[in-house]
C-alpha cells in the first residue's frame, strides 16, 4: 500500500530544496531576491516549524510571519523540512488519528487530527511556494516547477532535476 502522507513529506523536502537551489543560483548570479519571495518562503518554512511544535508538544522557535534572509530560510529548512518528512513517514495509524489541541496565531482554539495537520503542512507550503514563484517572475527571476507530478517524474528518472 502506498503511504501518501509519507510521499507528501518527501515531496515537501524536494520542493523546498528545489526552490532553495534556484534562489541560491539567482543570488550567486548577482540577482536580487525580491522581498515578497523571501517573506512567503519564510512563512511556509515557519509554518512547518509551528506544526511540528504542535504535534510534538514543544514551543515553536519562530513566529508565523517572521521574515528571514536566504541564509535564515536555509537554517529553518534544515531544522524543519526533514523533521516534517520523518513525522509523515514514521507516524502510525494511532498517531495519525490522535487529536491535537492548539491555539492559532490569532488566539483561536482548535482541535485537529495529526493526519490532517501533516497533510495541511505540505499543502500549505505548496500554496506559498506557488505564490513565491509568481513573485519571482514579477521580479524578473525564473521560477522553478515545484509541482508534485514534477517531483514524481524526477524520482522515477523520467526528467532531470532542475537547477
Amino acid at each position: 500500500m502506498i503511504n501518501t502522507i509519507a510521499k507528501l513529506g518527501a515531496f515537501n523536502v524536494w520542493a523546498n530544496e528545489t526552490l532553495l537551489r534556484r534562489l541560491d543560483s539567482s543570488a550567486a548570479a548577482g540577482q536580487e531576491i525580491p522581498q515578497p519571495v523571501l517573506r512567503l518562503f519564510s512563512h511556509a518554512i515557519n509554518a512547518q516549524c509551528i506544526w511540528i511544535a504542535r504535534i510534538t508538544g514543544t514551543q515553536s522557535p519562530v513566529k508565523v510571519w517572521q521574515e528571514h534572509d536566504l541564509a535564515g530560510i536555509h537554517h529553518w529548512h534544515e531544522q524543519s523540512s526533514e523533521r516534517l518528512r520523518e513525522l509523515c513517514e514514521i507516524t502510525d495509524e494511532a498517531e495519525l488519528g490522535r487529536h491535537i489541541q492548539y491555539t492559532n496565531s490569532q488566539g483561536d482554539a482548535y482541535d485537529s487530527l495529526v493526519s490532517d495537520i501533516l497533510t495541511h503542512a505540505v499543502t500549505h507550503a505548496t500554496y506559498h511556494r506557488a505564490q513565491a514563484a509568481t513573485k519571482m517572475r514579477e521580479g524578473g527571476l525564473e521560477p522553478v516547477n515545484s509541482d508534485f507530478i514534477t517531483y514524481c517524474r524526477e524520482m522515477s528518472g523520467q526528467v532531470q532535476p532542475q537547477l
Side-chain angles (χ1 to χ4, degrees):
M1 184 166 114
I2 295 173
N3 182 340
T4 302
I5 291 177
K7 194 169 188 177
L8 287 173
F11 156 70
N12 188 66
V13 172
W14 169 87
N16 286 340
E17 289 177 350
T18 299
L19 178 52
L20 279 168
R21 278 194 310 275
R22 177 59 54 87
L23 295 177
D24 287 342
S25 66
S26 296
Q31 297 173 303
E32 185 175 335
I33 308 300
Q35 192 58 36
V37 173
L38 296 173
R39 182 174 193 268
L40 289 162
F41 201 17
S42 292
H43 172 68
I45 297 294
N46 292 343
Q48 291 180 174
C49 294
I50 292 165
W51 285 115
I52 291 166
R54 289 174 179 163
I55 290 170
T56 60
T58 59
Q59 183 69 32
S60 174
V62 293
K63 302 291 183 203
V64 175
W65 284 101
Q66 183 177 338
E67 294 186 35
H68 311 291
D69 60 11
L70 191 52
I73 292 172
H74 270 282
H75 170 79
W76 292 112
H77 159 70
E78 291 165 8
Q79 297 298 309
S80 65
S81 295
E82 184 62 26
R83 179 66 178 125
L84 182 62
R85 186 205 60 76
E86 289 171 359
L87 288 171
C88 289
E89 184 176 319
I90 66 171
T91 302
D92 61 17
E93 287 298 319
E95 178 65 3
L96 290 172
R98 182 169 67 97
H99 286 262
I100 303 287
Q101 287 80 38
Y102 58 93
T103 303
N104 71 6
S105 60
Q106 287 83 37
D108 300 322
Y110 290 98
D111 179 297
S112 298
L113 290 170
V114 169
S115 62
D116 293 340
I117 290 170
L118 293 173
T119 303
H120 168 73
V122 174
T123 59
H124 176 264
T126 300
Y127 172 76
H128 288 297
R129 283 189 299 266
Q131 288 181 311
T134 298
K135 295 300 181 186
M136 287 174 72
R137 190 171 304 284
E138 290 172 0
L141 300 179
E142 183 63 29
V144 292
N145 179 340
S146 61
D147 288 342
F148 178 74
I149 199 66
T150 302
Y151 161 75
C152 294
R153 290 171 184 156
E154 279 192 22
M155 294 302 106
S156 69
Q158 294 179 55
V159 297
Q160 293 298 311
Q162 302 171 72
L163 295 178

